[in-house]
């Protein structure tokens, strides 16, 4: 795959890179996205029945079982070449930050360290009733030993605020970056879908990598439509590997 040489040069010169990812980067690891027609989770399950505090209050067992199933799916999955290419970019770029909407934990398993999980993580829990300290959880039975209440997954449900720290750090990094990647996300869920605009206002180059067109496609400086696990490694190869070869 060939990329505009001017883009490769800009990426080689970039000091601060921010990458935002969504469910699409984990699709090739076998995990369903949310909004892909027929295959997306939201085509099979109703978010209002499974991904809201009210849904949990109404039927904690239904919601807990669904997240246990998703936890099992994500543990069976392996990071793919797209996840690994971002680990490589983190190692090579002077400053790099990965902001993910994914709760599957695959970026961390791939080796990403400079990582913000904006929407939480399936493999962590919180006390639903009283937000008690997490050192006294009976995860197996889904109970908080401190108050006897239910445990819920430590992820952001619809209608809930994102953790302030993570969001503030993501916004601050986006506003200062030279290059902003939007990878495998439909760019329709806010506030994550607004990060590219913050980057653009800071004169960053905005690059989209996505299987299907999104509201960002015509607004990005570059939009590469295709699979993240193919496009990202090819890009990393051209930015860093060819650069080294050129230097020899
Ligand atoms: N490579 C690149 N992009 C892909 C691939 C792939 N292999 N497979 C699918 N995609 C793209 C789809 O074209 C789609 O635009 O990934 C996008 C996934 O979009 P969504 O399913 O809407 O997922 P996401 O953008 O992460 O959703 C955002 O919404 O449901 C909530 O909290 C949930 O974090 C989630 C948020």
């Amino acid at each position: 795959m060939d990329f505009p040489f001017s883009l490769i040069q800009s990426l080689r010169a970039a000091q601060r890179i921010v990458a935002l990812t969504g469910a699409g980067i984990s699709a090739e690891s076998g995990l369903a996205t949310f909004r892909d027609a027929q295959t997306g989770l939201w085509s099979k399950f109703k978010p209002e029945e499974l991904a809201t505090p009210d849904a949990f209050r109404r039927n904690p067992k239904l919601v807990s079982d669904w997240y246990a199933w998703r936890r099992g799916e994500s543990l069976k999955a392996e990071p793919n070449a797209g996840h690994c290419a971002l680990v490589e970019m983190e190692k090579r770029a002077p400053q790099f930050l990965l902001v993910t909407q994914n709760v599957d934990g695959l970026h961390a398993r791939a080796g990403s360290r400079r990582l913000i999980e904006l929407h939480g993580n399936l493999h962590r829990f919180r006390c639903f009733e009283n937000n008690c300290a997490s050192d006294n959880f009976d995860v197996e039975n889904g109970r908080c030993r401190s108050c006897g209440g239910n445990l819920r997954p430590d992820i952001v449900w619809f209608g809930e605020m994102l953790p302030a720290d993570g969001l503030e750090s993501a916004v601050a990094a986006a506003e200062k970056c030279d290059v902003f990647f939007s990878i495998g996300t439909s760019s329709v869920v806010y506030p994550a879908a607004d990060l590219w605009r913050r980057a653009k206002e800071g004169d960053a180059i905005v690059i989209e990598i996505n299987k299907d067109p999104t509201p960002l496609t015509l607004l990005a400086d570059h939009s590469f439509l295709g699979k993240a696990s193919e496009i990202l490694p090819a890009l990393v190869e051209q930015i860093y590997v060819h650069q080294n070869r050129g230097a020899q």
Side-chain angles (χ1 to χ4, degrees):
M1 185 170 184
D2 274 329
F3 301 93
F5 188 60
S6 59
L7 174 61
I8 297 299
Q9 285 183 310
S10 305
L11 287 164
R12 286 177 181 163
Q15 293 302 306
R16 289 177 292 273
I17 297 178
V18 171
L20 172 73
T21 63
I25 198 165
S26 294
E28 292 154 83
S29 297
L31 296 180
T33 65
F34 292 93
R35 291 174 187 81
D36 277 345
Q38 281 96 40
T39 57
L41 291 171
W42 300 146
S43 70
K44 295 191 188 110
F45 307 99
K46 294 194 176 61
E48 63 277 8
E49 282 174 14
L50 291 161
T52 68
D54 286 346
F56 189 77
R57 244 175 241 108
R58 277 197 306 272
N59 193 337
K61 182 163 181 355
L62 175 76
V63 174
S64 297
D65 289 352
W66 189 64
Y67 282 99
W69 167 72
R70 287 186 60 195
R71 213 169 287 123
E73 292 297 295
S74 72
L75 289 173
K76 278 189 281 181
E78 290 298 330
N80 62 56
H83 297 102
C84 300
L86 290 172
V87 173
E88 200 54 35
M89 210 181 268
E90 178 180 330
K91 286 184 191 145
R92 308 243 185 175
Q95 287 184 47
F96 178 88
L97 181 67
L98 176 55
V99 179
T100 189
Q101 299 167 89
N102 299 347
V103 294
D104 55 34
L106 289 183
H107 281 303
R109 279 171 56 196
S112 289
R113 293 295 167 263
R114 295 197 42 73
L115 172 66
I116 295 176
E117 295 175 316
L118 270 185
H119 295 168
N121 186 305
L122 272 174
H123 306 284
R124 287 196 308 262
F125 297 86
R126 267 196 274 152
C127 163
F128 181 68
E129 272 80 16
N130 302 298
N131 218 11
C132 302
S134 61
D135 57 0
N136 205 8
F137 287 172
D138 173 6
V139 170
E140 207 167 323
N141 298 305
R143 287 280 164 190
C144 172
R145 289 200 192 89
S146 304
C147 71
N150 286 307
L151 294 184
R152 56 163 287 175
D154 182 14
I155 66 169
V156 179
W157 278 329
F158 288 103
E160 293 187 316
M161 301 291 284
L162 273 62
D165 298 0
L167 181 58
E168 280 161 21
S169 305
V171 168
E175 287 173 343
K176 285 200 302 269
C177 70
D178 307 316
V179 174
F180 183 91
F181 284 97
S182 177
I183 303 162
T185 179
S186 55
S187 297
V188 295
V189 176
Y190 288 77
D194 194 52
L195 288 173
W196 76 269
R197 196 183 300 281
R198 302 292 189 119
K200 196 76 208 145
E201 282 161 9
D203 285 334
I205 298 170
V206 174
I207 304 165
E208 180 185 53
I209 296 173
N210 209 59
K211 181 171 67 74
D212 307 296
T214 74
L216 176 56
T217 303
L218 297 179
L219 301 168
D221 297 293
H222 301 271
S223 187
F224 302 107
L225 296 184
K227 294 182 172 178
S229 75
E230 292 169 4
I231 298 173
L232 273 171
L235 191 58
V236 164
E237 165 99 8
Q238 285 201 24
I239 303 168
Y240 302 112
V241 179
H242 287 202
Q243 182 180 32
N244 294 347
R245 278 205 206 113
Q248 281 157 9

